[in-house]
């Protein structure tokens, strides 16, 4: 015990620190308390007084009903008997109206601590507190409701008189005394403290780890899953597996964790601002003395934590269970409802040709569907969506061929190019033609928002990696109106589904009259035959006929099957008009112009490049060296193949392409060799004058300027010629030209209908254009004339006919070399003669003789 000053300060009347650990003696008591009633009495709590702790309810707590609330909680939590023993053991009332209870604790007591407090009301502020708030407006003025005096603390007891307290009132005993202090264990005292702590009224802010991040207002109509869950769910559904509800007092429900027989473990509904779970014990999965709202408690129990990611997963799970409402999704900005396309940049309404007599002009535009929108939030769905757009025909100007998806465009020279798509090309195409987007949830508003996004490159690669695509097949590009296989005219720009052809005209097209009249036919013939081709120095009528046939072939190309021969435009001298003849093709159809390669390997590469990448229907191998001999096995294979297969540069896989081009070579004094003679058509020019480039006085004047201004007219005229022939029943004249017989018969019939003479009338002259054929024909004729049908050895031939035996360079072949040459040519006719091998079984030797074919028309009468 300690003596207390009688000045209202409640301070000890002597130095007392040593009495925290040393008990005062009766002698000291007699000295301190000498009968003077002015001094008060205090008890030092803790170990020095036998492990006694005082539980103090301030006068505010009594007046606010906090003591009654604690008593009710004690009784409801199973601590009623313990609480009754405490309140009836040694109870005192302070001058301020507070109540002090003492309890002896087995195992010792802790230090002083505050169990419950509240913020002071404004009417309770003292002058000093008002001054503090004026200086520091954010200061908190706190009123303690319940606290303890334990180790190192002391408290006044009755019969301390009024002089020791500022109020002037005494301490009064309510029940018992030191001899009736109850003894409880530390666990029970902790339970008592927990109940007292439950009435703490200080605001408790949610911690970041146990509450979602700060929330922004949702758009009108939007409710978060967590908020909806909180409004629709009761606490037993959330924590029923962890706690049992004990009772409810006012808005507060008291809970005890499962497996515990007494005490309170948690409360809900105690906070005035929001219904929260507040756990007092450390023996649960929840963090002690930390508020959890319903969504946070659900997240903690179902996701194993309360981090931002845990909250995100819990919200998604609740949304899947039907909680929350979606605000209207924020859509992308609208795109134009429709646009106009004509499938070709060649047709421009502002530059359409003027209508001319016999021909109609003007563009034809077609309306295409609106730009599609595609959700690519999920990569797999995005890929499926692109394929569905392909299938629905909503991706304009996208096609497929052997190598995969492709498009058609014009290069810097205004020539059509077929572009095989790589991943970056497909991504760029989709960026232009599809409004692709991803759906993202705004982390603050939780609103779904569409955000413009391009398809990922790997997704584009996946699409291109398929073996097939739901796209229209591109079978070729045509640059003028053409005749379909059924005889109808393809003159609509862009893609034609009936044929798989893409019309990308070289020049603006004129609309042709529905019916071809005699006048329009005569006008067309006049333009082509009497104006454009009138003044070329053809060697013979066949050369003019062959060129007209070549000029009409691109229009007829879809109408027949099989390859076409190569046209050789050659002249006796430079300046004869070869380039002009080539330019007619350039202005009418466009040409792929390439130099003659150095070897067959480069020739194959060039052929593949032209077939795979260009769209021009005519390929010109230009300006062969003077006197060149056209002799190439690669060219021979090309000219007899309907389909060309090769590996494209930069790729590992082989692609196949239709051989649908017209092949032309130009040069002076050209010759053929090997098998190429049978695969060419000759167009020969001979001006028969010095300086042929100085000639003048042509019907149309300078042809190149005329073509620049009249190419549309010329194309319309050529189409009219073919349409007239089709309207007349497409009469054909059967002729034989090996692999090209179908084409040759069609052209023969067309030229016969037009009155153009000379088609394939140069067969004998063509022999003169083949050095090898001429050389071997002369050799076999001399051989037959000299030796008749007598079989001879190669050595005898070399000795007997040294001036006629074919040579390799300037030297005679050896007997063995000549034998190899004869074996390679046995059975083949050179003119009317062929070489035949005779085996001399007696001499074990191969001999050779020459036979003559007397009737080449029937295949009989060989001798």
């Amino acid at each position: 015990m300690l003596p207390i000053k009688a000045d209202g300060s409640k301070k000890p009347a002597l130095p007392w620190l040593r009495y925290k650990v040393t008990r005062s003696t009766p002698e000291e008591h007699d000295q301190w308390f000498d009968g003077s009633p002015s001094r008060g009495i205090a008890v030092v709590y803790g170990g020095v007084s036998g492990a006694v702790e005082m539980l103090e309810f301030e006068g505010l707590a009594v007046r606010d009903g906090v003591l009654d609330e604690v008593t009710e909680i004690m009784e409801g939590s199973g601590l009623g008997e313990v609480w009754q023993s405490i309140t009836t053991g040694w109870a005192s009332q302070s001058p301020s109206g507070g109540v002090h209870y003492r309890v002896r604790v087995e195992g010792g007591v802790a230090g002083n601590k505050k169990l419950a407090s509240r913020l002071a009301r404004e009417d309770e502020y003292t002058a000093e507190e008002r001054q503090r708030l004026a200086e520091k407006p954010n200061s908190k003025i706190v009123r303690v409701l319940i606290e303890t005096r334990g180790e190192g603390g002391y408290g006044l007891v009755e019969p301390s008189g009024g002089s020791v307290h500022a109020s002037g009132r005494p301490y009064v005993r309510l029940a018992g005394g030191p001899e009736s202090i109850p003894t409880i264990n530390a666990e029970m005292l902790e339970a008592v403290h927990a109940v007292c702590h439950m009435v703490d009224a200080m605001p408790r802010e949610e911690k970041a780890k146990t509450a979602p991040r700060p929330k922004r207002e949702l758009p009108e109509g939007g409710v978060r899953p967590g908020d909806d869950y909180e409004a629709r769910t009761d606490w037993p559904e959330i924590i029923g597996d962890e706690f049992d509800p004990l009772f409810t007092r006012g808005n507060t429900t008291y809970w005890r964790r499962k497996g515990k027989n007494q005490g309170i473990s948690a409360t809900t509904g105690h906070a005035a601002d929001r219904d929260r779970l507040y756990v007092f014990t450390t023996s649960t999965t929840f963090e002690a003395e930390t508020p959890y709202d319903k969504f946070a408690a659900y997240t903690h129990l179902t996701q194993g934590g309360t981090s931002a990611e845990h909250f995100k997963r819990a919200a998604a799970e609740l949304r899947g269970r039907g909680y929350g409402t979606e605000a209207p999704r924020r859509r992308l900005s609208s795109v134009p409802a429709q646009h106009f396309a004509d499938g070709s940049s060649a047709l421009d309404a502002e530059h359409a040709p003027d209508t001319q007599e016999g021909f109609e002009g003007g563009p034809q535009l077609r309306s295409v569907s609106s730009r599609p929108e595609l959700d690519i939030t999920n990569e797999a769905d995005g890929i499926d969506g692109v394929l569905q757009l392909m299938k629905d025909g909503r991706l304009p100007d996208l096609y497929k061929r052997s190598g995969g998806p492709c498009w058609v465009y014009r290069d810097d020279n205004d020539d059509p190019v077929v572009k095989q798509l790589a991943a970056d090309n497909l991504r760029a195409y989709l960026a232009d033609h599809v409004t692709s987007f991803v759906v993202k949830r705004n982390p603050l508003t939780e609103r779904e928002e569409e955000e413009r996004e391009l398809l990922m490159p790997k997704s584009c690669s996946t699409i291109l990696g398929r073996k097939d695509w739901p796209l229209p097949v591109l079978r070729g590009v045509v640059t003028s109106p053409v005749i379909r296989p059924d005889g109808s005219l393809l003159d609509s720009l862009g893609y034609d589904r009936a044929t798989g052809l893409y019309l990308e005209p070289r020049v603006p097209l004129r609309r042709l009259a529905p019916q071809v009249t005699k006048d329009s036919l005569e006008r067309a013939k006049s333009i082509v035959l009497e104006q454009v081709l009138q003044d070329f120095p053809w060697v013979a009528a066949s050369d003019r006929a062959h060129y007209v046939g070549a000029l009409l072939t691109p229009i007829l190309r879809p109408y027949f099957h099989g390859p076409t021969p190569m046209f050789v435009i050659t002249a006796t001298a430079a300046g004869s008009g070869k380039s002009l003849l080539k330019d007619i093709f350039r202005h009418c159809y466009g040409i792929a112009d390439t130099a003659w390669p150095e070897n067959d390997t480069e020739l194959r590469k060039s052929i593949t490049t032209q077939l795979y990448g260009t769209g021009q229907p005519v390929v010109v191998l230009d300006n062969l060296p003077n006197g060149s001999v056209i002799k190439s096995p690669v060219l021979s294979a090309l000219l007899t193949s309907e389909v060309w297969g090769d590996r494209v540069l930069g790729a590992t896989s082989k692609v196949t392409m239709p051989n649908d081009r017209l092949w032309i070579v130009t040069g002076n004094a050209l010759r053929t060799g090997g098998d190429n003679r049978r695969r060419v058509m000759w167009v020969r020019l001979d001006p028969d004058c010095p300086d042929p480039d100085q000639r003048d006085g042509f019907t149309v004047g300078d042809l190149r300027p005329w073509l620049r201004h009249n190419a549309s007219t010329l194309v319309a005229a050529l189409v009219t010629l073919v349409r007239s022939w089709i309207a007349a029943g497409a009469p054909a004249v059967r002729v034989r030209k090996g692999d090209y017989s179908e084409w040759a018969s069609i052209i023969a019939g067309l030229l016969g209908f037009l009155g153009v003479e000379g088609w394939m009338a140069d067969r004998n002259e063509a022999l003169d254009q083949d050095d090898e054929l001429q050389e071997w024909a002369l050799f076999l004729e001399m051989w037959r004339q000299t030796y008749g049908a007598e079989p001879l050895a190669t050595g005898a031939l070399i000795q007997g006919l040294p001036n006629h035996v074919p040579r390799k360079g300037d030297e005679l072949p050896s007997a063995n070399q000549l034998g190899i040459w004869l074996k390679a040519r046995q059975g083949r006719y050179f003119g009317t003669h062929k070489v035949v091998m005779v085996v001399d079984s007696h001499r074990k030797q191969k001999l050779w003789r020459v036979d003559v074919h007397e009737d080449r028309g029937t295949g009989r009468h060989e001798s």
Side-chain angles (χ1 to χ4, degrees), residues 99 112 121 162 183 222 231 312 400 490 623 668 675:
V99 180
N112 305 332
R121 295 188 293 268
T183 301
K312 183 178 179 180
K400 68 176 179 180
L490 192 172
N623 285 326
N668 293 325
D675 293 332

Side-chain angles (χ1 to χ4, degrees), residues 503-524:
L503 176 55
E504 182 79 355
R506 177 68 179 179
V507 295
L509 301 181
R510 301 188 180 280
R511 284 192 217 141
L512 302 175
Q515 303 296 328
V516 181
T517 65
K518 183 177 181 181
D519 288 343
S520 62
L521 172 60
E522 292 304 318
R523 174 173 168 74

Side-chain angles (χ1 to χ4, degrees), residues 446-489:
E446 297 187 14
R447 180 181 187 176
E448 286 190 345
E449 300 178 352
E450 294 179 2
E451 183 174 312
R452 186 82 166 93
E453 188 70 69
L454 299 183
L455 206 67
M456 292 185 292
K458 65 176 183 178
S459 300
C460 296
S461 297
T462 300
I463 293 172
L464 295 178
R466 293 169 55 87
K467 64 180 180 180
D468 194 18
W469 304 265
L471 291 170
V473 178
L474 181 66
R475 303 194 184 280
V477 175
V478 292
T479 56
S480 70
V482 295
I483 304 300
R484 297 187 183 96
D486 62 0
S488 61
L489 181 67

